[in-house]
Amino acid sequence: MLAIARAAGLRPVPVPVDADGVRPELLADAFRATGARVFVCQPLFQNPTGAVLAPERRGEVLRIAREAGAFVVEDDFVRRLVHEDAGELPRPLAAEDADGVVVHVGSLTKATSPSFRVCALAARGPVLERLRAIQIVDTFFVPRPLQEAALELVGSPAWPRHLRAISADLRARRDTMTSALRLHLPELALPHIPSGGYHLWLRLPEALPEPALTSAALRAGVAITPGRPYFSAEPPAGHIRLSFAAVAGAGEIAEGVRRLRTACDEVL
């Protein structure tokens, strides 16, 4: 999203997030200071922190955007990757928007296959007409075979079973990774354990530089994602993102954390 904005000549402005999602008072300050007209957010299991926008902040975010004359782009990318212990999920922000402020985006890709590039965009009012016109100019339409495949998939009795299986497996993988990190890498801070998504977000101690650790991890045979690209301004500290999705199972997760321990020892 940051790369797309910059390629379009836009200037991304950061707004701080805590355990309850974006901080509304700082969002309002950012709108006043910059005159921005779009707020891009992930209210559900935000990437990379895993934060969920608190109920008492949801209406505030919509009110602030409305008063600023801005749109909210709600990237609901992880709703189908909820963990088994998550409980009831909040509704999309778009469900609470009667004024056409929210543009809601969701996808089947992550819950099915990386090559299944089918998404949905929901909006109200004039913005919907503008987005529809852009879609027609850019791609004309979604290919019919993909549409048919998407309908057959979500209409199948196997679809709910598939989502339940993903939910159970993601919880087990998350628990395996958090346990391994506490055992082998207690010096890495894990401030939040999400109940959705497929990764963990860790803060590095000062003595462990992010670029050096990323390189050492590759030499040890484990791929990690450096945190710097997730920030639109200077990061407060080094971070890494660890994914537990693209692995064979619990054994590979545990082995990956052991190799990351080796990489840390090399750098420290």
Side-chain angles (χ1 to χ4, degrees), residues 1-229:
M1 192 68 75
L2 290 171
I4 290 170
R6 289 170 178 137
L10 304 176
R11 180 171 64 90
V13 176
V15 182
V17 171
D18 61 21
D20 291 322
V22 68
R23 295 174 56 184
E25 74 280 7
L26 298 182
L27 176 63
D29 289 346
F31 275 129
R32 282 193 293 269
T34 66
R37 288 294 175 262
V38 176
F39 172 53
V40 179
C41 63
Q42 294 170 330
L44 188 64
F45 307 124
Q46 191 243 8
N47 181 20
T49 66
V52 176
L53 186 62
E56 62 272 14
R57 295 187 180 183
R58 294 166 62 85
E60 273 290 279
V61 167
L62 294 180
R63 179 190 63 78
I64 290 165
R66 189 185 307 114
E67 290 178 357
F71 289 107
V72 175
V73 175
E74 180 183 23
D75 181 7
D76 203 19
F77 77 109
V78 80
R79 185 166 292 272
R80 295 175 181 84
L81 298 181
V82 61
H83 300 173
E84 199 174 39
D85 58 352
E88 185 177 354
L89 297 183
R91 299 192 306 166
L93 281 180
E96 303 174 20
D97 168 41
D99 303 309
V101 169
V102 178
V103 176
H104 178 90
V105 183
S107 171
L108 290 175
T109 301
K110 286 183 170 58
T112 54
S113 164
S115 60
F116 195 58
R117 312 303 289 183
V118 177
C119 71
L121 185 150
R124 291 185 174 92
V127 68
L128 175 62
E129 298 307 316
R130 290 177 63 185
L131 289 167
R132 181 183 286 124
I134 292 169
Q135 170 75 8
I136 290 171
V137 169
D138 283 351
T139 60
F140 193 53
F141 63 89
V142 178
R144 180 64 179 265
L146 274 180
Q147 294 187 51
E148 295 283 0
L151 287 172
E152 185 173 343
L153 176 69
V154 300
S156 166
W159 178 240
R161 293 198 300 271
H162 172 68
L163 293 180
R164 287 194 297 271
I166 288 177
S167 179
D169 195 40
L170 285 174
R171 177 188 179 181
R173 288 169 178 240
R174 178 204 66 195
D175 291 347
T176 296
M177 182 173 278
T178 53
S179 297
L181 287 168
R182 285 168 176 156
L183 178 64
H184 296 292
L185 289 160
E187 66 268 40
L188 302 190
L190 181 58
H192 177 63
I193 299 175
S195 53
Y198 50 90
H199 66 263
L200 298 177
W201 180 242
L202 295 105
R203 182 170 176 146
L204 303 179
E206 266 187 53
L208 202 56
E210 185 182 303
L213 177 59
T214 303
S215 299
L218 282 176
R219 289 193 294 273
V222 60
I224 63 176
T225 305
R228 183 65 184 86

